[in-house]
């Protein structure tokens, strides 16, 4: 596995992440990535908690989905989510620093399966599984699953 650190040499992950305004506005940081892997960090902000004073599941899903996107785009061709699901294991709270680690499980044809673990320290907060699809060409992105 080749491990890249942000700032060394712009590749497909850095290019995609730099254009990801949603993740940037939430303060998500790309820590490192390699072929089929990615590690990201996010602090739960006050605007991310719900009426129960825990992190809203939508933000946790977005965080895990961003790690998934970085891992599945590490190979170069534009790759998008075909489907994904998440299991919320423990609540996260305002101020928690979360780390999402994405790992490629398998790739076959233009499809792939990736697992993402979201942790606070050593505690699992959520487990995410994403299914990817590599686009035939960038100009047909609007015709493929998102």
């Amino acid at each position: 596995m080749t491990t890249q650190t942000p700032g060394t040499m712009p590749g497909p992950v850095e290019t995609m992440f730099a254009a990801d305004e949603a993740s940037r506005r939430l303060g998500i940081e790309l820590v490192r990535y390699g072929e089929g892997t990615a590690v990201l960090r996010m602090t739960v902000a006050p605007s991310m908690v719900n009426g129960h004073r825990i992190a809203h599941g939508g933000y946790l899903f977005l965080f895990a989905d961003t790690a998934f996107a970085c891992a599945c785009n590490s190979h170069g061709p534009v790759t998008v989510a075909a489907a994904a699901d998440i299991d919320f294991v423990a609540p996260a709270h305002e101020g928690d620093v979360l780390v999402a680690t994405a790992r490629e499980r398998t790739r076959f044809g233009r499809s792939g399966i990736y697992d993402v673990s979201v942790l606070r320290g050593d505690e699992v907060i959520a487990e995410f599984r994403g299914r990817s699809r590599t686009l035939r060409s960038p100009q047909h992105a609007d015709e493929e699953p998102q």
Side-chain angles (χ1 to χ4, degrees):
M1 172 182 80
T2 303
T3 300
Q4 295 278 335
T5 53
T8 56
M9 183 169 95
V13 174
E14 286 182 317
T15 301
M16 178 201 68
F17 192 78
D20 184 348
E21 189 168 334
S23 295
R24 190 172 52 255
R25 286 182 181 240
L26 292 176
I28 296 173
E29 304 167 62
L30 176 61
V31 176
R32 66 180 172 274
Y33 64 91
E35 289 186 27
T37 67
V39 177
L40 283 74
R41 181 175 35 242
M42 177 182 83
T43 301
V44 178
S47 61
M48 296 177 185
V49 297
N50 62 23
H52 300 295
R53 307 307 304 154
I54 59 176
H56 191 291
Y59 287 109
L60 298 177
F61 187 97
L62 184 148
F63 180 46
D65 185 58
T66 301
F68 162 54
C70 290
C72 68
N73 277 280
S74 65
H75 298 289
V78 174
T79 303
V80 297
D85 56 73
I86 192 166
D87 291 299
F88 300 109
V89 178
H93 301 93
E94 180 181 332
D96 285 351
V97 177
L98 305 178
V99 174
T101 302
R103 293 175 203 85
E104 181 180 278
R105 304 303 297 160
T106 188
R107 285 192 314 156
F108 49 100
R110 293 189 306 133
S111 299
I113 298 173
Y114 294 78
D115 288 335
V116 181
S117 295
V118 178
L119 290 91
R120 173 185 49 231
D122 293 331
E123 183 181 12
V124 175
I125 299 299
E127 291 289 344
F128 172 104
R129 174 157 278 191
R131 273 98 41 217
S132 68
R133 187 74 170 164
T134 300
L135 302 182
R136 291 182 197 279
S137 64
Q139 54 269 51
H140 294 100
D142 58 346
E143 298 172 13
E144 298 282 344
Q146 298 298 319

